[in-house]
Amino acid sequence: MSVVEQYARAHIVTDADLLVEEQDAVPVVLKYDPEIDPRSVRVRLPGRQAHEWTFSRSLLEQGLRAPAGSGEIRVWPCGRVQAVVEFHSAQGVSVVQFETKALMRFLRRTYLAAAPAAPAAPVEREAQLRS
């Protein structure tokens, strides 16, 4: 199993005054490590809101279809091509808007990374034994 790390462009939406560079899409890191926890994903936000959040992969998947979550993390579809992830902490709320296809691509990669490797074909195994 391998680690999946994907960069996605996202918009951080907030009521606070934004710096000019924060009004544009920012790079957000999506990460999945099946060795640490095969059921969780991590999202790392940049800038002043810099923080890494860990939550269930199934919450992300469910939230792409319908509003999901409660407490610290909430995910919901926003129109046909975007999704919103809302992070709550003692410092406030960060609302991050993603393109849905970027999150779906990330989820596909996590399921591929978590899938057990197929056994090598007999010819491949024989060649491996000879080396």
Side-chain angles (χ1 to χ4, degrees), residues 3-99:
V3 173
V4 173
E5 186 169 285
Q6 178 176 313
Y7 292 85
R9 304 288 293 164
H11 291 276
I12 297 177
V13 182
T14 179
D15 289 337
D17 292 332
L18 290 176
L19 298 173
V20 173
E21 62 268 14
E22 291 178 331
Q23 292 175 1
D24 295 325
V26 296
V28 174
V29 179
L30 308 169
K31 191 167 185 178
Y32 172 73
D33 189 341
E35 296 294 324
I36 293 176
D37 184 353
R39 293 176 300 233
S40 295
V41 294
R42 292 182 284 179
V43 175
R44 187 170 58 233
L45 303 179
R48 292 185 310 193
Q49 296 90 359
H51 190 278
E52 185 167 280
W53 298 86
T54 302
F55 57 99
S56 88
R57 184 170 57 168
S58 64
L59 171 61
L60 181 57
E61 186 175 2
Q62 291 168 6
L64 294 179
R65 292 188 303 272
S70 61
E72 291 185 345
I73 313 282
R74 296 179 183 137
V75 183
W76 66 89
C78 181
R80 295 180 353 165
V81 297
Q82 295 181 330
V84 172
V85 183
E86 185 176 276
F87 303 98
H88 292 255
S89 71
Q91 291 76 33
V93 178
S94 293
V95 179
V96 184
Q97 190 173 33
F98 292 90
E99 285 190 17

